[in-house]
Amino acid sequence: MQLTRRTILRTALAAGVSGLLPARSFAASQLALGTATLDTLSDGHLVLPIGFISDNPGAPELLARHGLSGPEIESPCNVTLYRDGINTVLFDVGSGPDFMPTAGKLAEAFDALGVTADEVTHVVFTHAHPDHLWGVLDDFDEPIFANATHLMGRAEYDYWADPNTVSTISGGRETFAAGAIRRLQALEDRIVTFEDGDEIIPGIGARASYGHTPGHMSFEVRQGNTSAMIVGDAIANAHMAFEAPSWASGSDQDAEMGAKTRLDLLGMLADGTMPMVGFHLPEGGVGRVERAGDAFRFIPEA
């Protein structure tokens, strides 16, 4: 299924009118990492056509086991804030007001946590899809996080900053490309790029997790002998991505690479017992991965 802004807006508005969208708490979850804290904040949620999850013939049965059989599916959006007493690091910035009416709630989440945009020292992007990038500018196209260094993986930046991407991108994502280049141009003088394996901030290392987008990055955040992996959309839901990680996902621009990335990440997280944070995972997105036979399961952090 192609994901177009028109399709998801129509789906979201219909669900909103029918009262299917419950109110959500802005403060989602917290994880202690040594003397640092890692909070997830709700930017609201997306409403997507259920067929977008996968076109695999087994998908309807798998989703039905999770109570998902209607035409739409809600996908929570968990923005991550890391604070170590020196750095205040925001991983992704949410949708802002221009993508979907059910998302773009990060300002309210900041208020609930008692944090201001001016306190953010670094903004780190996993990738440049609308629900991760479009909330970076205010109504005057000025950066909201005015005191922050903005960081994005080199491959991801080069792809979305290329004017040709809007005419070559597939899957109905032309609006994604147009929105990304406008925002990256506005950030041009303050954005810093990095490579796979770089320590981008003391204690925060970049890990390539390509497939969802051409340069998608995950991040290992380490404090003392504790760590967590921020996976962005490399693991994009708590059902199919865990139970059938090798199936193609409609959200991945490169489905084959996305599946390989999921399998590698899930295996590493399960075997190393490292907690993870997923942007679209339930209950704040913080939890652990366990093996379940030939598959996996997500265990939310208590």
Side-chain angles (χ1 to χ4, degrees):
M1 174 179 289
Q2 290 190 339
L3 178 63
T4 67
R5 186 168 184 268
R6 178 176 297 175
T7 299
I8 56 183
L9 274 174
R10 183 172 62 243
T11 305
L13 288 169
V17 169
S18 63
L20 296 178
L21 306 182
R24 297 194 185 279
S25 171
F26 292 122
S29 188
Q30 186 175 86
L31 181 69
L33 290 176
T35 58
T37 57
L38 188 155
D39 290 276
T40 60
L41 307 177
S42 175
D43 190 54
H45 61 281
L46 307 183
V47 183
L48 303 170
I50 198 165
F52 181 66
I53 297 298
S54 176
D55 59 4
N56 188 286
E61 180 182 350
L62 187 156
L63 294 173
R65 293 201 300 270
H66 293 268
L68 302 171
S69 58
E72 298 99 23
I73 183 170
E74 291 185 11
S75 180
C77 298
N78 307 302
V79 176
T80 300
L81 185 72
Y82 171 80
R83 293 175 288 176
D84 63 8
I86 299 173
N87 300 302
T88 297
V89 184
L90 186 66
F91 292 89
D92 296 325
V93 296
S95 298
D98 298 331
F99 184 52
M100 187 178 290
T102 56
K105 315 301 182 185
L106 186 60
E108 292 96 321
F110 262 55
D111 288 344
L113 194 63
V115 177
T116 69
D118 288 344
E119 294 176 56
V120 175
T121 60
H122 302 81
V123 173
V124 179
F125 296 103
T126 60
H127 64 298
H129 275 171
D131 50 329
H132 299 255
L133 171 66
W134 283 18
V136 77
L137 301 180
D138 63 19
D139 292 340
F140 302 97
D141 278 357
E142 295 292 332
I144 289 175
F145 305 97
N147 298 326
T149 299
H150 293 61
L151 301 101
M152 183 178 287
R154 165 66 70 178
E156 186 74 358
Y157 178 85
D158 287 349
Y159 176 77
W160 295 101
D162 183 351
N164 294 318
T165 296
V166 72
S167 59
T168 57
I169 196 169
S170 61
R173 293 176 168 92
E174 295 83 0
T175 303
F176 293 10
I181 195 170
R182 180 170 77 81
R183 289 160 176 84
L184 293 178
Q185 286 173 344
L187 296 173
E188 187 174 13
D189 294 337
R190 63 177 67 213
I191 198 160
V192 176
T193 59
F194 56 86
E195 305 292 343
D196 175 32
D198 286 354
E199 185 177 47
I200 60 172
I201 301 165
I204 300 177
R207 176 191 174 98
S209 47
Y210 305 154
H212 183 69
T213 60
H216 187 287
M217 286 283 182
S218 298
F219 301 94
E220 182 177 351
V221 181
R222 183 169 294 278
Q223 247 273 347
N225 60 358
T226 60
S227 62
M229 185 71 73
I230 297 168
V231 302
D233 284 7
I235 303 170
N237 58 68
H239 32 76
M240 194 197 78
F242 287 80
E243 295 181 32
S246 63
W247 289 1
S249 169
S251 68
D252 291 341
Q253 288 182 233
D254 185 328
E256 183 176 350
M257 184 177 291
K260 182 180 184 306
T261 291
R262 270 193 302 282
L263 284 163
D264 289 346
L265 268 176
L266 288 167
M268 183 203 72
L269 291 167
D271 295 342
T273 67
M274 183 189 297
M276 64 172 290
V277 184
F279 192 88
H280 294 298
L281 298 184
E283 299 187 46
V286 179
R288 297 181 184 271
V289 182
E290 288 186 355
R291 290 190 179 272
D294 295 330
F296 302 88
R297 59 174 164 257
F298 176 63
I299 309 298
E301 195 77 8

